[in-house]
Structure formats: structure tokens, C-alpha cells
């Protein structure tokens, strides 16, 4: 058994690497598909104003374009809605052979999230969001509290201030004059859909690359094992 394992160690390594790459590729491709489907679903929603909202049945899913109303109070600086991330440092992969570092990336941890029930100025009047902690996409405002990232000290703020244009997807609240938001995105619906389509395309390309490499490594492993 030990001799067989030694003889087939190389093919096994290639096979395992191939399977891992394939799994990652399939996952990324599925993420691309799911993102595209969500974008299609949002694109099909009726885009309504304040007057139309009051005439629709509770529970119906709709889209709304508007701006963060001046009726809201800023939670931090000028931001009504925001997330804060702390810079944790830089992490790299280490080469076990020579202890060199590669594939370095910055690491940020979310330390605060403020997404309250707010008011929006929309065509035909004002609209209230009935819930809090909805998803946030494409925030237009972003800054850091230090000129450059400092480990453990730098905070990055991303969010929306009064007057920021937004697109909201959600369901009509039973109260009739409010919306239970699924997400709030910076810009209009066209900007949201363009961003989602771009993300889906990037995920698909990366997924195909990983999947292709997985097939290549797995094929090498099978061929090597066959001739070993």
C-alpha cells in the first residue's frame, strides 16, 4: 500500500488540486447565475411612486427610485446610512519551500452597520421604509479616517447622506404607506442592474478559468496515474 501510494502521489496531488479548482469554479459559476437571476427579477418589478404605492396590495414586490430625505437625521458625520470597516492588516500566502510571501491582500472587518428605517423622497411624495438592516449596495460616499491604512486604527466609512439618489427593492408593508426593503442601492435601477450584470460577468469568467484549470489538473492526474 505504501509503495502504491508513493508511486501515485503525483497523480493524486494533481487530481485533488483539480477537484478543488473544479468545485471553486462551479461555485463561482453558480454565483454568477444567481446574481443574473436576481437582476432579472428586479428588472421585472414595477417601478412605482408614492401615490401608486398606496393603491397596491400589501405584500406586492415593487421597486422605487428616490433620494434620502432631509427628514432623516445623520447618524455619523453626514451619513444617514453607513457601514464601517476596520483595517486588520495584510495577509499573504507563504511558500513552504523558501518562506516567501505571495498573493497579498488587505483584510478589513466590518465593525459597525447602521441601516435604520428611513424616509425617502420619491416622485409623488415621501415614502417610509418600515424595516431596518436591509442590504446595502453601491454606496456613493466613502472615506477613511487616516491618510493611508494603519493596522488596527484605520476605519473606512461607506454610506449614504441626505440627497443621495437610491433605488430600493422590497414589498409593500401591511400599513400601506411604507415599504419593507430587501436592499437599498446607490443610483437608479439602471445603475443597479448594470452593476449586477458586471458582477455576474466577472464571476462567470473567473469560474470558467477555475473550472478549466480544474479539468486540466484532473486530466493530468488521471493520465499520469494511468501510465504510472
Amino acid at each position: 500500500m505504501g509503495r502504491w501510494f508513493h508511486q501515485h502521489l503525483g497523480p493524486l496531488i494533481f487530481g485533488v488540486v483539480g477537484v478543488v479548482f473544479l468545485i471553486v469554479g462551479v461555485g463561482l459559476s453558480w454565483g454568477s447565475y444567481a446574481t443574473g437571476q436576481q437582476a432579472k427579477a428586479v428588472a421585472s418589478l414595477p417601478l412605482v411612486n408614492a401615490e401608486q404605492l398606496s393603491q397596491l396590495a400589501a405584500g406586492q414586490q415593487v421597486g422605487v427610485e428616490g433620494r434620502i430625505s432631509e427628514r432623516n437625521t445623520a447618524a455619523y458625520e453626514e451619513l444617514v446610512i453607513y457601514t464601517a470597516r476596520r483595517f486588520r492588516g495584510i495577509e499573504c500566502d507563504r511558500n513552504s519551500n523558501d518562506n516567501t510571501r505571495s498573493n497579498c491582500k488587505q483584510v478589513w472587518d466590518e465593525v459597525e452597520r447602521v441601516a435604520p428605517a428611513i424616509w425617502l423622497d420619491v416622485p409623488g411624495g415621501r415614502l417610509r421604509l418600515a424595516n431596518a438592516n436591509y442590504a446595502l449596495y453601491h454606496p456613493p460616499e466613502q472615506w477613511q479616517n487616516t491618510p493611508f491604512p494603519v493596522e488596527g486604527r484605520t476605519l473606512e466609512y461607506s454610506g449614504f447622506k441626505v440627497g443621495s439618489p437610491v433605488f430600493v427593492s422590497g414589498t409593500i408593508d401591511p400599513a400601506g404607506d411604507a415599504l419593507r426593503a430587501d436592499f437599498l442601492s446607490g443610483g437608479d435601477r439602471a445603475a443597479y442592474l448594470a452593476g449586477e450584470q458586471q458582477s455576474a460577468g466577472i464571476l462567470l469568467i473567473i469560474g470558467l478559468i477555475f473550472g478549466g484549470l480544474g479539468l486540466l489538473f484532473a486530466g493530468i492526474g488521471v493520465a499520469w496515474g494511468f501510465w504510472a
Side-chain angles (χ1 to χ4, degrees):
M1 181 66 180
R3 182 179 179 184
W4 181 94
F5 183 81
H6 180 73
Q7 289 179 340
H8 293 82
L9 180 60
L12 286 172
I13 291 175
F14 270 86
V16 170
V17 171
V19 170
V20 171
F21 271 67
L22 274 173
I23 292 174
V24 173
V26 170
L28 291 171
S29 298
W30 173 255
S32 171
Y33 173 78
T35 300
Q37 289 300 109
Q38 180 178 342
K40 287 182 181 179
V42 173
S44 67
L45 295 178
L47 200 61
V48 301
N49 58 34
E51 295 177 357
Q52 294 169 328
L53 190 73
S54 62
Q55 300 170 5
L56 297 175
Q60 181 171 342
Q61 193 164 14
V62 298
V64 175
E65 293 178 343
R67 293 181 179 273
I68 306 294
S69 175
E70 62 183 10
R71 182 170 179 175
N72 301 295
T73 302
Y76 177 76
E77 298 289 346
E78 295 183 332
L79 298 179
V80 176
I81 306 168
Y82 71 92
T83 60
R85 301 191 304 163
R86 188 184 305 278
F87 180 58
R88 202 177 72 190
I90 297 177
E91 290 186 354
C92 302
D93 296 333
R94 287 190 176 274
N95 189 320
S96 58
N97 294 326
D98 55 11
N99 204 34
T100 58
R101 302 195 304 172
S102 61
N103 298 325
C104 297
K105 62 181 179 180
Q106 294 184 348
V107 179
W108 298 79
D109 290 333
E110 184 173 290
V111 295
E112 188 176 11
R113 182 181 185 86
V114 176
I118 62 169
W119 288 89
L120 301 178
D121 291 328
V122 301
R126 277 181 174 162
L127 168 65
R128 180 175 59 88
L129 298 187
N131 61 310
N133 295 325
Y134 33 81
L136 300 176
Y137 301 141
H138 314 299
E141 306 294 329
Q142 186 172 346
W143 71 79
Q144 297 177 3
N145 64 345
T146 59
F148 51 88
V150 179
E151 183 175 347
R153 290 182 51 197
T154 299
L155 291 173
E156 180 186 79
Y157 293 89
S158 302
F160 304 78
K161 64 182 181 180
V162 170
S164 294
V166 295
F167 168 68
V168 181
S169 172
T171 56
I172 299 175
D173 190 70
D177 60 346
L179 192 69
R180 299 193 66 82
D182 297 322
F183 68 81
L184 183 147
S185 179
D188 56 14
R189 178 161 67 174
Y192 165 77
L193 293 176
E196 292 300 287
Q197 290 166 359
Q198 182 180 32
S199 297
I202 292 173
L203 285 174
L204 179 59
I205 291 173
I206 298 175
L208 291 175
I209 291 173
F210 271 86
L213 290 173
L215 288 174
L216 176 62
F217 284 127
I220 292 174
V222 170
W224 190 356
F226 180 79
W227 293 105

